[in-house]
Amino acid sequence: MNQWINEKLLPPILKFVNTKAITALRNGMLYTMPFTIVGSVFLLLANFPVPAVSEWVTNSGLDVYFNEAYGASFAIMSIFAVMGIANSYVKEEGFEGLPAGMISLVVFLLTQHSTATNADTKAMVSNVIDKTWTGGQGMISAILVGLFVGWAYSWFLKRDIRIKLPEQVPANVANSFTALIPAAVITTFSLVVYILFDKVFNTTVVEAIYKVIQTPMQGVTDTFGGAMMLGFLVPFLWFFGVHGSTLVGGIMGPILQANSLQNTTILNSGKELTVANGGHIVTQQFLDQFMTVTGAGMTIGIVMFMVMFAKSAQFKQLGRLALLPAFFNINEPILFATPVVMNPIMAVPFILTPMVSGVVTYFSLYTGLVPLFTAVQVPWTTPPIISGFLVGGWRTAVLQAFVLTLGFFIYLPFVRKVDSLNYLQEQGESVEQIEKDLANEDKTADGNATV
C-alpha cells in the first residue's frame, strides 16, 4: 500500500499542486487575507450577532460607516485577487511581479462596463467601477484574468520582448519601460475582446464568465454533495502528507467566499437571508468553522482524550503540548506525532469526523436551526466557540460545540486503541507480542459475535 501511494497516487497529486497556475492561485489569494479580515470586522460591527448591540449601532447611524469600510475592503476583494495572482505567477517565473499585477487590474476593468444603473431611479451612471463585479461575483473572472496576464507577461519577458535601458537607470524606471510593450499588447488584446463581447454578444466578459462558469460552480459547491466533497478531500489529502487545507482552500476558497458575499448582498438588499431567497449554505465559514476547526480532521477530540484519559506516557505528554495550539486551530503536532498521517487506524475517524460535522451543519442551516452565514470571517487562529459566535451568533456557537463533542466520540475508540498499543510498548511488550494480543482479541470478538 505504501509503495502504491508513493509511486502511483502522490506523484500526480504533487505535480498538480506544484503547477505554476495552482501555486500562483494559492499564493495570490493570500494577498486578499488582510482585507478580508479587516472588512469582516467592520461587517461584524455593522451586523453584530447580539440584537441589542445591533439595534444601537443602527440607531446611532454607525452601521452606514461600518458598511463603507466593508465596501472599501472585503467587497472589492476580486481586485486584490487579480493583482495578487498575476504578481505571484510572474514572481514564480523569476521576474518582477508588480507591473503584471497592475496590468491585470487594467484587464480586469476591461471585462466589465464602466456604467451602472441606479437601483432606485433606474438612471444610468457612467465613469464608475461597478462593485457588483469587484466582490464575489467577479472572483472567477479575477482568477482567469490574473492567470492569463501572469502567463502572457512572463511570455514576453522570457523571450526578451521588452524595452531595455542602460544599467545606470534606476530599477523602478527600468521596470516601467520593461512593462511597456507587454502592457500595450495585453491591453490591446483585452480591448478587442471587450468590443467583441459588447457588439456581438451584447454582454461583458465578466457577466459571461459569471453565468457560464461561476454560477454553475457555486451551485455545485452549495449542494450536500459539494459539502461532503470538501469534508472528504481535506483530511484525505492530509492523510498522505499533502497539505489538504491549503490545496482545497486555494482552489475552492474563491467560490466559497463568493457564496458568503452573495449572502451579505441578500441581507443588505432588505430581504431575509434564507435558502428560499437564494441564500447559500456552503460558504467559507462552513469549511473553516465546521470542517477544519481545530485543524484538519477536527482533531481536538484526540487532544482531549490524551489530556483526560490517555494511559500511555507518550500520549499524556503530547496532549499537554498540543492542547494550547489546538485551541488556536494548529494541529500539526497531532497529525505527525500521534501519528494520524499514514496511520491506517486513524484514517477512518480522521476523514469521518468532518464529514459527519458537515452533515449536521448542512441540515442545521438548511432547516433554519442556525442562520446562514454572511461574509463575516474571523482569523483562522480564532478559538472554537468564539469563532462560531462571531460568524453566526449563539446558535452557531452551540452547533460548533455540539459537532466538536460529536467528533470526540467518533475518535474515542480509535485513539483508545492506539493509546493501548503505546502503553503496552511502554510496559516492555514486544511488537510481536502486541500483534498476538490483538489477534487474540479479534478472535474473541469474532467468537462473541457468532454466539
Side-chain angles (χ1 to χ4, degrees):
M1 175 62 73
N2 287 338
Q3 184 178 0
W4 178 82
I5 291 171
N6 291 325
E7 294 181 1
K8 302 295 183 181
L9 181 63
L10 284 182
I13 292 176
L14 293 176
K15 184 177 181 180
F16 174 74
V17 170
N18 293 318
T19 57
K20 291 175 183 176
I22 296 300
T23 302
L25 174 60
R26 182 175 65 244
N27 295 339
M29 289 301 298
L30 291 176
Y31 287 99
T32 69
M33 184 180 296
F35 309 103
T36 299
I37 295 174
V38 171
S40 291
V41 171
F42 288 108
L43 184 62
L44 175 64
L45 293 174
N47 303 274
F48 203 75
V50 176
V53 177
S54 179
E55 290 176 9
W56 178 84
V57 170
T58 302
N59 293 335
S60 66
L62 288 174
D63 61 324
V64 176
Y65 301 106
F66 291 150
N67 283 323
E68 281 292 325
Y70 159 74
S73 52
F74 202 157
I76 59 171
M77 64 179 300
S78 290
I79 291 178
F80 303 127
V82 71
M83 297 181 69
I85 291 169
N87 175 64
S88 298
Y89 193 105
V90 173
K91 287 175 69 176
E92 283 292 317
E93 294 283 10
F95 303 108
E96 172 61 39
L98 182 58
M102 299 172 73
I103 296 170
S104 70
L105 176 58
V106 174
V107 176
F108 181 61
L109 294 179
L110 279 173
T111 64
Q112 53 192 277
H113 289 311
S114 58
T115 58
T117 303
N118 188 293
D120 298 323
T121 64
K122 305 302 180 182
M124 183 73 71
V125 183
S126 59
N127 294 323
V128 298
I129 297 176
D130 190 350
K131 282 188 176 180
T132 301
W133 306 110
T134 61
Q137 288 186 213
M139 184 54 67
I140 296 301
S141 294
I143 292 172
L144 295 177
V145 168
L147 293 176
F148 164 71
V149 172
W151 169 82
Y153 187 83
S154 301
W155 186 90
F156 278 94
L157 296 194
K158 285 192 290 187
R159 285 157 181 78
D160 215 18
I161 306 174
R162 53 181 166 173
I163 297 175
K164 294 182 180 180
L165 296 179
E167 295 182 359
Q168 293 79 8
V169 177
N172 58 334
V173 177
N175 288 335
S176 299
F177 279 89
T178 296
L180 187 57
I181 293 177
V185 175
I186 294 170
T187 303
T188 302
F189 173 78
S190 302
L191 178 59
V192 171
V193 173
Y194 173 87
I195 296 172
L196 176 66
F197 273 78
D198 185 50
K199 296 297 184 181
V200 179
F201 303 110
N202 195 29
T203 186
T204 61
V205 177
V206 68
E207 290 176 276
I209 291 175
Y210 178 72
K211 291 177 182 177
V212 176
I213 300 177
Q214 182 164 335
T215 299
M217 289 181 67
Q218 286 186 243
V220 170
T221 58
D222 200 33
T223 62
F224 179 74
M228 292 300 95
M229 178 188 68
L230 291 173
F232 171 79
L233 283 177
V234 174
F236 176 76
L237 292 171
W238 258 118
F239 179 75
F240 299 109
V242 178
H243 203 302
S245 306
T246 299
L247 178 58
V248 175
I251 297 173
M252 300 304 300
I255 300 299
L256 298 178
Q257 289 185 347
N259 289 348
S260 302
L261 286 165
Q262 285 197 358
N263 281 358
T264 296
T265 301
I266 293 171
L267 196 62
N268 291 340
S269 69
K271 298 179 181 178
E272 186 180 1
L273 182 54
T274 62
V275 175
N277 287 334
H280 295 283
I281 295 175
V282 185
T283 61
Q284 188 66 47
Q285 297 89 333
F286 190 104
L287 176 63
D288 290 345
Q289 309 308 330
F290 290 94
M291 283 186 165
T292 60
V293 64
T294 73
M298 302 172 62
T299 53
I300 190 69
I302 299 176
V303 179
M304 299 311 296
F305 173 86
M306 290 177 174
V307 172
M308 296 187 294
F309 304 109
K311 295 188 296 181
S312 65
Q314 173 185 337
F315 269 15
K316 288 179 181 179
Q317 181 64 23
L318 179 58
R320 287 192 290 267
L321 293 174
L323 183 60
L324 185 60
F327 279 119
F328 293 95
N329 304 310
I330 301 170
N331 72 335
E332 279 79 359
I334 290 297
L335 295 181
F336 293 102
T338 303
V340 174
V341 173
M342 300 297 288
N343 183 346
I345 297 178
M346 298 302 298
V348 171
F350 185 58
I351 295 174
L352 184 62
T353 298
M355 295 186 70
V356 170
S357 175
V359 171
V360 174
T361 305
Y362 188 92
F363 284 102
S364 297
L365 292 165
Y366 183 81
T367 57
L369 291 175
V370 173
L372 298 181
F373 302 119
T374 62
V376 174
Q377 294 185 34
V378 294
W380 67 272
T381 52
T382 305
I385 313 304
I386 297 175
S387 62
F389 174 78
L390 292 176
V391 301
W394 68 269
R395 286 185 289 173
T396 305
V398 171
L399 177 62
Q400 201 176 49
F402 174 75
V403 295
L404 289 174
T405 303
L406 192 63
F408 171 81
F409 288 103
I410 294 174
Y411 274 111
L412 182 60
F414 299 91
V415 71
R416 178 180 286 163
K417 173 65 71 174
V418 178
D419 180 53
S420 298
L421 297 176
N422 291 339
Y423 180 76
L424 291 174
Q425 285 185 320
E426 290 172 358
Q427 299 305 307
E429 289 200 27
S430 64
V431 175
E432 292 78 8
Q433 184 60 45
I434 293 174
E435 290 177 347
K436 289 180 181 179
D437 293 341
L438 289 175
N440 291 333
E441 289 181 9
D442 292 338
K443 290 180 181 178
T444 303
D446 291 342
N448 291 336
T450 302
V451 172

